[in-house]
Amino acid sequence: MPPVPRLTMGRQGVGEVLALDALLAARTVWPAGKSAARVADGEPTGHAALDAVLPQGGWPRRALSELLLPADGVGELELLWPVLARLTAAASPVVLVAPPYVPYAPAWQAAGVDLAWLQVVEATPRDALWAFEQCLRSGACAAVVGWPRTADARALRRLQVAADSGNCCAFAVRDRRHAANPSPAALRMEWTAGAWHVRKCRGGQVPPQALHLPVSASAARSAH
């Protein structure tokens, strides 16, 4: 978070007040003890219950969202399919970087994803972060989903910056063991006890309730 400008009574006081006002308007900071004003400028998730609790009313745009899982195939793709289907239907490119399994095309098509606008990048764990970042920075992608295996806080920060500069929705699918580590992601969601839990959401309060979003076990198994 950028440092909050000091408010002084000197010649620069007016400019500093204006700078603070700009930060507040951008929801980069907000007054302590007050909830940030809800502005529905997010990318709709396709799940009404999730949109209702996220500060932007959907996936944060120009930002990194982190999905923390105990294992692959618990329903993470069904969580993302609605937004990926809508983006590809609008002829907006979506890229998958280093997925753990070869995507099962019929399942993606059944979910409404237009495969003509879906690209898969195969990369080794060593190269996956670089490929993820380059896709985000390119400005050619509406969304990028990556499975980084070796990302640390510095690497995630680079992905966050790349998503912002490339005007892209970024989704990092990671092991749940990373939940204990700090992250620069704008949104963090963890799958545990059969439900999604929002662990961090920039610009608002973390909702206390778990989200039991509908997930078809058969579809999840056939997704890869």
Side-chain angles (χ1 to χ4, degrees):
M1 181 179 73
V4 177
R6 295 178 58 191
L7 303 182
T8 67
M9 298 303 292
R11 295 180 181 180
Q12 302 300 320
V14 174
E16 290 167 346
V17 169
L18 292 176
L20 178 57
D21 287 344
L23 289 174
L24 291 171
R27 291 177 291 113
T28 305
V29 298
W30 56 90
K34 295 184 179 180
S35 297
R38 182 182 174 92
V39 179
D41 59 354
E43 190 70 47
T45 66
H47 305 279
L50 180 55
D51 288 344
V53 301
L54 295 181
Q56 290 81 34
W59 299 115
R61 291 190 172 102
R62 305 175 67 107
L64 177 66
S65 296
E66 198 174 357
L67 306 181
L68 302 164
L69 315 174
D72 296 319
V74 297
E76 66 275 17
L77 293 181
E78 285 195 337
L79 181 68
L80 295 177
W81 271 338
V83 66
L84 302 184
R86 188 177 64 257
L87 292 174
T88 56
S92 298
V94 168
V95 178
L96 311 179
V97 179
Y101 305 98
V102 176
Y104 183 58
W108 286 74
Q109 286 181 310
V113 177
D114 186 342
L115 299 185
W117 295 96
L118 181 69
Q119 299 292 327
V120 179
V121 175
E122 297 181 356
T124 65
R126 179 179 179 181
D127 296 331
L129 276 172
W130 179 87
F132 198 172
E133 182 180 346
Q134 296 310 305
C135 289
L136 292 173
R137 289 188 183 278
S138 70
C141 306
V144 180
V145 185
W147 285 259
R149 301 297 185 185
T150 59
D152 55 14
R154 180 180 180 183
L156 293 176
R157 192 172 299 111
R158 289 180 64 89
L159 295 177
Q160 167 61 40
V161 172
D164 182 35
S165 62
N167 190 23
C168 184
C169 288
F171 301 96
V173 184
R174 309 183 71 210
D175 191 281
R176 193 173 66 188
R177 71 177 185 274
H178 298 295
N181 301 326
S183 170
L187 173 66
R188 301 187 90 189
M189 294 180 60
E190 181 184 2
W191 173 269
T192 182
W196 288 102
H197 298 255
V198 178
R199 299 306 190 194
K200 173 187 176 183
C201 51
R202 186 176 64 191
Q205 299 294 324
V206 173
Q209 70 273 25
L211 297 168
H212 294 272
L213 304 177
V215 173
S216 166
S218 60
R221 286 193 300 267
S222 66
H224 302 98

